[in-house]
Every structure is written in C-alpha cells, then in structure tokens.
Amino acid sequence: MSLNNSPAWKRLTRLAAPSIETRLPEWLTTTDRFERFSFRVGHLLVDLSKQRINQEILDTLFELTAERDIQARINDLFSGSPVNFTEGRPALHAALRAPRSDRPARVAQDIEETTHRILGFADAVRSGGWCGHSGKTLTNIVHIGIGGSHLGPELAVQALQSAASPRLTINFVANVDDGVLQNAVAGLDPDRTLFVIASKSFTTLETRLNAERARSWFLERVNVSEAMARHFVAVTANVEAAAEFGIPATNVYPLRDWVGGRYSVWSAVGLPVALAVGGQGFSELLAGAQTVDAHFASAPAPENVPLLLALAGIWNNNFLGVANHVILPYSDRLKLLPSFLQQLEMESNGKHVNHAGDDVGVHTAPIIWGGEGTNGQHAFHQLLHQGTRSFTADFVLIANSQAAGTDHDRWLLANGIAQSQAMMSGQTDPDPHREVTGEHATTTIVMDSLTPHSLGALLAIYEHKVFCQGVIWDINSFDQYGVELGKRLARPIFDQLAGRPALGQDASTRGLIESIRKGEPND
Ligand code: F6P
C-alpha cells in the first residue's frame, strides 16, 4: 500500500485542515501545555509545546509509526541489519559509542582497537609524547576532509572550544578553493604541524588535491620525505591509497564501510575533536550520544525524543505543507550546527524513491538552513516574520553557558525565546506594514550546558530523528547517489577549461567555459 493511502496517513490528512484553522497562540492557552509537550533526555530539554500538535494528532502519528513497524526498524539499526539497503550495509554509528557488551560482535573488537588508538594518539600529541621529526612538539593541526569527513569534527571542535587545549590550533580545510589551504598553513612552522587527511574513500577530489598541496608545502620546507611519518596521518577505509600517498599504515586510522560519512564524527574521523578536548573529552562525547541511543532504543513512543522530533517534522512537512526548516542555535559556538544538520538531513533524506524503487509519493526532507542567533535576527529573520514563505524552526539554547548570569548571556537567551514567541504570536497592527502574522511552529531545545556529553546527545538526537523519518518515508537514509552526477560532469568541463574544445556541451555550459577562458591571462 502506498504511504499516502495508509489509514493513519489518511486520518492525519483529515486532521490537518482543522489544525490550521486554530490560531497557534490558542494552542498554548492550556496551563499544562508545556508539561505535556516538553520532554527530557539526559541534559537536554526538548519543548514541542509551540508545535501545532495535540494528543489526537500525536496518537495518530504513533499509529503511522506502528504501520511502518518502527520499533523493528530501530532494532535493525542497532543490531547491524543492512539498513543501508541499496549498498547492502549496516549503519553502525551507534555501535561506535555503545558499551562494549552492546556492540554487534563482528565489529566490537575493531571499534575497541581503533578507539583506543585514536585516543592514545590524541593524548600523545597533546602531551608531547608524539613529536615532529625534529623533536619539536606539535602545536598546529591542519585537518583536510570534506562533507562528513569535515562538518562534524569542525562543529565539535568549535562547540567545545572552552574545553580544548589552548596549546593546539586546529584549522580545517575542506573546499578545493586554493585560498583555504593557503590560509590554513600561512605562518605555520612545518616542524610543529600535523596534517590529518580524513577521507573514507581517499579518492574525493577536493581532499586529494588539498592533501597533495599540503604534502608539497611540507616537503618543500622540510625536504626529508621520511619526516612525513611524524606529520601526516590518515583516517580512511582505503589504506592502500593512503600508503600510495605516503602515509605509513601505522599512521592510518581505519574508517569502516558500516559508518556513513555524515554519521562518522564518533569514529576516527573525530580525531581532531580528541586532539582538541583529549581522550577523556572525546569519551564523554561518545557517552552523551550513548545516553540518547539507550533512550531511543527503549523509550516508548510517547516519550521517545528523537521519534517525537521526527514526527513533528513529518506533521509539518507532509500534512501542514511546510517545506523549510530553519536551525537557529543561540550560541556562537554552535554556529556550524546548521551546516552539519544540512548535510545530515538533506544528504540522508533528500530522496525520491522508496525501498522498492517506486516514487515515494509524498515530500521527503525539507530544505534545511539557518544561522546563529542573534546575528540572523539582523539579516534573514525579517523574511521569517513578514515574508510569504512558511517554515518551522528549531531553536537551540544553552541554559548555563560560560557566561551564565551575565547580561550578555541573558540577552542571548531572551532573544532566542522572544524569537520563538514572535514566530508563534506575531503582532496585529492597523498598519499592514507593521503587522507580523506569526503562526510558525517551532521547537526549542535547551541544553543544560555545552559540554562534550551534551553535544554528543544533541547530535545523536538529530541522527535518530533523521533515521525515523527515513523509515516513515521508506527511503534509504544512508546512501547519496545524487552527489555523483556533479562529480562526473565536472571532469570534461575541467578539461575544457584547460583548453580542450568544449564539444558536446549545451549552449550555456559552452558559453560559460568559453567566456571564462577568454578572461584567462595570456601565457
Ligand atoms: O560527495 C558526498 C560525500 O560522499 C559525502 O557523503 C561524504 O561525507 C563526503 O563526500 C566525503 O567523502 P570521503 O570521506 O570519502 O572523502
């Protein structure tokens, strides 16, 4: 039966129209609304009370999850069944943070060894036990990787700055734009620099090119190829390619095919995080995620936070017709959260066919975007308040930041809460230019504080939310074939930009190639 013909789907469709007729502020007039629709997991509070939901809607959403047999799918995820069904692989990111006894047997030993090696290496670099070739301690880390091999580590390093070693600088290089690498190495002492090349495939063009430039930069200055063994490490599933590049096997930290790139910050890809906050800090990140895994695996649907977030998203996206979901962290330290979630949600659930290869028949992932508050209030929030587009938003607030109790901190929190209020209630005004319609449903997540533990929990909540939505849409959240097309098309264009005739191209592409070539300086 197609998804939109299921009994629960049809009932939800019938519930949608009356729910829009009731103004959002009216949903919040019952005194116990917050108690009923806010939930706790670990050190996080998730407030869904500003969502357009009531018990009947939630119960019908639970029926939908029962129709999709969600508990069995959750068990599949944790037990290592091939939930990545197009590639015939499990998605075992949760095993990376599970207690040893809870890991599927076939990966338990491997995870144990790799985690031990990463934490040991990170602590050795931090303590000076691992030095550069000339005996100097390493103080600069340059991490080269893109997509899932970049976004999680940079987010976590930035988020956990206050727990990070002040002795180490960590620069991230992802884009193939040459200036990024040049800026990252500018002024660095090569004798004190460690390059981490993170690429599951070790064939990703951007990472390969940047890694080659980094190697040239290093060898031009150090001039001893054996020195690479003290200054280059790789995180990859492709040990041969790393060896060919010049990184000895002892410096390779394995990443297995059962971990998707965007789910890999818990693996060796998290090495920069371990370098920043130490082995203990990294273990706490894993422990925070594990708290959520345990909750997700066993909490009944009415209390299951990742599932509830997923269902709120499905309700808004599929029944209330909202195509935009905005991520609004009210913390500069979480400013990369929107980019991270963009990849997590859009690469995972930006799919249009179901398990059987048939059209899903309903919308899948919304457009995810966002930015940190309060900066966004002085930029794009105008459209949110008075534009014509519908959207939902997640606010992420930190109750006890480092600046807790200061006016700065109170203003930051006050603005976050006020924005969610404004989006809900709007304002009436006789002057239409001043009227704000409101009626935008939002979720607010309050982290007790921003620590490795709470960050791990936050990211795991979103991972499992994405999984639940993928189950409901019956799509594969773990492949990303769509990104291959652009890579394939770029090859001939690269050659044509370098001088080959732009044959076989459409008129626009040919015109662009030729006009860029005409603009090139003469040899
Ligand atoms: O092109 C998309 C993608 O495959 C992402 O899914 C992945 O995280 C990224 O590229 C980087 O891939 P790799 O780790 O193999 O370099």
Side-chain angles (χ1 to χ4, degrees), residues 365-519:
I367 312 288
I368 306 282
W369 59 282
E372 75 282 8
T374 62
N375 295 3
Q377 290 176 216
H378 301 275
F380 59 82
H381 283 228
Q382 166 61 34
L383 179 147
L384 299 181
H385 292 304
Q386 287 193 308
T388 56
R389 303 284 177 183
S390 61
F391 68 90
T392 52
D394 285 357
F395 287 86
V396 182
L397 311 179
I398 301 168
N400 293 294
S401 76
Q402 270 190 304
T406 63
D407 280 356
H408 262 72
D409 185 56
R410 255 181 237 122
W411 275 119
L412 188 63
L413 291 168
N415 270 285
I417 297 170
Q419 286 295 308
S420 75
Q421 205 174 35
M423 288 171 188
M424 169 186 66
S425 329
Q427 73 177 2
T428 48
D429 197 291
D431 176 356
H433 294 285
R434 291 173 196 274
E435 192 185 12
V436 176
T437 44
E439 297 297 318
H440 303 289
T442 63
T443 294
T444 301
I445 299 178
V446 184
M447 306 172 75
D448 285 354
S449 54
L450 182 50
T451 60
H453 197 280
S454 66
L455 181 70
L458 180 75
L459 303 187
I461 287 177
Y462 277 108
E463 286 182 347
H464 295 320
K465 169 202 161 181
V466 167
F467 175 74
C468 291
Q469 294 189 333
V471 169
I472 291 167
W473 291 319
D474 191 25
I475 56 178
N476 183 359
S477 302
F478 300 105
D479 63 13
Q480 59 281 322
Y481 290 115
V483 300
E484 297 307 321
L485 174 63
K487 295 183 192 173
R488 189 159 54 72
L489 295 180
R491 167 50 60 188
I493 297 175
F494 172 86
D495 292 340
Q496 289 158 359
L497 283 170
R500 283 243 187 104
L503 298 176
Q505 298 288 12
D506 62 84
S508 165
T509 305
R510 191 174 57 249
L512 290 169
I513 293 169
E514 284 169 1
S515 68
I516 290 170
R517 273 174 44 187
K518 273 192 212 127

Side-chain angles (χ1 to χ4, degrees), residues 293-305:
D293 295 339
H295 162 89
F296 178 56
S298 62
E303 291 157 30
N304 196 314
V305 169

Side-chain angles (χ1 to χ4, degrees), residues 146-149 198-202 204 207 261-262 343 347 480 483-484 487:
I146 197 163
S149 297
S199 173
K200 185 171 164 184
S201 58
F202 222 79
T204 303
T207 303
R262 51 195 174 273
Q343 188 202 18
E347 201 172 71
Q480 59 281 322
V483 300
E484 297 307 321
K487 295 183 192 173

Side-chain angles (χ1 to χ4, degrees), residues 102-336:
D102 290 356
R103 291 178 188 143
R106 68 197 151 105
V107 296
Q109 183 70 18
D110 186 70
I111 293 175
E112 186 81 5
E113 279 167 19
T114 306
T115 310
H116 184 75
R117 283 186 61 215
I118 307 163
L119 303 191
F121 178 67
D123 284 339
V125 172
R126 284 162 61 89
S127 67
W130 177 286
C131 298
H133 75 107
S134 62
K136 290 186 188 168
T137 53
L138 298 171
T139 52
N140 317 305
I141 314 295
V142 177
H143 178 274
I144 299 177
I146 197 163
S149 297
H150 157 236
L151 291 164
E154 188 170 14
L155 160 66
V157 167
Q158 195 167 109
L160 302 175
Q161 253 165 32
S162 61
S165 162
R167 231 178 34 79
L168 287 180
T169 61
I170 306 185
N171 296 333
F172 288 87
V173 177
N175 204 334
V176 73
D177 186 331
D178 189 44
V180 182
L181 179 72
Q182 287 192 17
N183 283 343
V185 295
L188 297 188
D189 175 354
D191 285 1
R192 292 192 181 278
T193 302
L194 175 73
F195 290 95
V196 179
I197 318 294
S199 173
K200 185 171 164 184
S201 58
F202 222 79
T203 57
T204 303
L205 176 101
E206 292 88 337
T207 303
R208 288 292 307 208
L209 282 175
N210 280 325
E212 281 159 19
R213 286 293 297 270
R215 182 179 58 189
S216 307
W217 176 89
F218 179 77
L219 291 176
E220 276 158 22
R221 284 157 184 79
V222 170
N223 216 4
V224 189
S225 59
E226 294 75 48
M228 275 187 67
R230 303 302 295 177
H231 294 266
F232 280 78
V233 298
V235 176
T236 186
N238 189 349
V239 182
E240 298 76 37
E244 244 169 64
F245 178 84
I247 300 180
T250 45
N251 286 11
V252 176
Y253 296 90
L255 180 58
R256 305 301 180 190
D257 67 359
W258 37 260
V259 182
R262 51 195 174 273
Y263 299 88
S264 67
V265 67
W266 326 100
S267 72
V269 168
L271 179 58
V273 190
L275 285 160
V277 299
Q280 181 58 33
F282 191 73
S283 300
E284 283 165 26
L285 181 85
L286 299 183
Q290 209 282 314
T291 311
V292 171
D293 295 339
H295 162 89
F296 178 56
S298 62
E303 291 157 30
N304 196 314
V305 169
L307 177 64
L308 288 161
L309 268 182
L311 294 178
I314 296 271
W315 174 240
N316 288 312
N317 183 47
N318 293 116
F319 299 97
L320 305 184
V322 182
N324 277 279
H325 186 61
V326 191
I327 307 295
L328 300 169
Y330 270 66
S331 159
D332 236 57
R333 288 198 280 148
L334 288 176
K335 69 182 346 166
L336 296 177

